[in-house]
């Protein structure tokens, strides 16, 4: 994280490290929170809010990790997650699961390229294998896009997922390309064209 190589972390380098740690903590929760979850499923004392203990137990993470997560999403500062704060955490986790797939799905993919058994639908196992994610993550993804509720993705549902991922890929690039950028700034080999590698490095 020492980008400037001075042997110390400045404020930005520390922030980068902190964000990486917080992202890892959310990542540790991805197999334990899914699209169907509601706060009442985790709220053991029935007060309508999640404490660090309740979150830690529900998500199989440490108390300290749960406290760190709560601090990120606790908008009202009461040290607990209310329904809205929990929903924001859940949406962030679900987005992170989609992001984990962004390197494995591209514009040319069709359901047929991933449908191992040829039934015209993607099961959680087929999606997990094709995208190099866990079966639990794949099931969570399917729950988000399974409009007909059959537990699988049909061609249209897969297309909806793919379009969301492609939109996320474009969005990820927007922070790295500015109106005053020119191709020569990204064209490392000087051929006047951007290869996929050059574009990936630039963005």
């Amino acid at each position: 994280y020492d980008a400037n190589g001075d042997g110390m972390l400045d404020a930005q380098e520390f922030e980068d490290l902190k964000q990486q740690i917080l992202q890892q903590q959310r990542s540790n929760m991805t197999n334990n929170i899914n699209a169907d979850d509601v706060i009442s499923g985790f709220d053991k004392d029935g007060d309508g809010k999640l404490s660090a203990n309740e979150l830690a137990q529900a998500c199989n993470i440490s108390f300290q990790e749960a406290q760190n997560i709560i601090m990120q999403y606790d908008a009202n500062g009461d040290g607990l997650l209310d329904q809205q704060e929990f929903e924001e955490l859940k949406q962030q986790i679900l987005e992170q699961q989609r992001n984990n797939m962004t390197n494995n799905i591209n514009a040319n993919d069709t359901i047929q390229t991933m449908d191992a058994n040829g039934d015209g639908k993607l099961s959680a196992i087929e999606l997990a294998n094709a995208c190099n994610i866990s079966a639990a993550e794949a099931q969570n993804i399917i729950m988000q896009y399974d409009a007909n509720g059959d537990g699988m993705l049909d061609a249209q549902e897969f297309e909806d997922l793919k379009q969301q991922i492609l939109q996320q890929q474009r969005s990820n690039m927007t922070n790295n390309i500015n109106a005053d950028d020119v191709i020569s700034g990204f064209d490392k080999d000087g051929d006047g064209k951007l290869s996929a590698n050059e574009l990936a490095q630039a963005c």
Side-chain angles (χ1 to χ4, degrees):
Y1 294 94
D2 182 19
N4 62 10
D6 67 357
M8 300 186 297
L9 294 179
D10 62 28
Q12 184 57 52
E13 292 164 341
F14 175 75
E15 186 62 28
D16 292 345
L17 171 62
K18 181 176 86 172
Q19 291 306 315
Q20 181 66 32
I21 290 169
L22 295 173
Q23 180 179 358
Q24 182 61 42
Q25 290 171 344
R26 284 190 306 269
S27 181
N28 291 343
M29 297 174 63
T30 60
N31 290 331
N32 298 302
I33 291 183
N34 65 58
D36 288 346
D37 286 334
V38 293
I39 198 168
S40 61
F42 300 138
D43 180 19
K44 299 300 181 199
D45 63 11
D47 66 354
K49 297 183 177 190
L50 288 183
S51 68
N53 277 331
E54 290 169 327
L55 187 62
Q57 289 175 359
C59 296
N60 197 28
I61 59 176
S62 73
F63 177 78
Q64 183 62 50
E65 288 174 320
Q67 281 185 316
N68 290 344
I69 298 277
I70 287 174
M71 284 178 18
Q72 291 176 68
Y73 293 92
D74 182 19
N76 63 10
D78 66 356
L80 304 166
L81 290 181
D82 62 27
Q83 180 64 44
Q84 180 60 39
E85 294 162 345
F86 175 75
E87 191 60 33
E88 289 174 19
L89 167 62
K90 185 173 82 170
Q91 291 308 314
Q92 180 68 37
I93 288 170
L94 296 173
E95 181 180 334
Q96 191 167 331
Q97 290 172 340
R98 285 190 302 271
N99 288 344
N100 289 344
M101 296 175 60
T102 60
N103 292 331
N104 298 303
I105 292 184
N106 64 58
N108 297 323
D109 284 331
T110 64
I111 197 168
Q112 291 80 14
T113 61
M114 298 180 182
D115 181 16
N117 67 4
D119 67 355
K121 296 183 175 192
L122 288 182
S123 68
I125 297 298
E126 289 170 325
L127 186 62
N129 290 339
C131 296
N132 197 28
I133 59 175
S134 73
E137 288 174 317
Q139 188 60 48
N140 287 340
I141 295 291
I142 287 174
M143 282 191 271
Q144 295 174 63
Y145 293 91
D146 182 19
N148 65 11
D150 66 354
M152 303 175 91
L153 293 180
D154 63 28
Q156 183 56 55
E157 293 162 345
F158 175 75
E159 187 62 28
D160 294 343
L161 167 62
K162 183 173 83 170
Q163 291 307 314
Q164 178 71 36
I165 288 171
L166 295 173
Q167 180 181 354
Q168 183 63 41
Q169 289 171 342
R170 288 188 299 270
S171 177
N172 290 345
M173 292 174 60
T174 61
N175 294 333
N176 297 310
I177 295 180
N178 302 307
D180 58 347
D181 287 334
V182 293
I183 194 170
S184 61
F186 301 129
D187 181 19
K188 299 301 180 195
D189 62 11
D191 67 354
K193 300 176 183 176
L194 285 184
S195 68
N197 283 339
E198 290 169 330
L199 185 59
Q201 289 174 355
C203 298

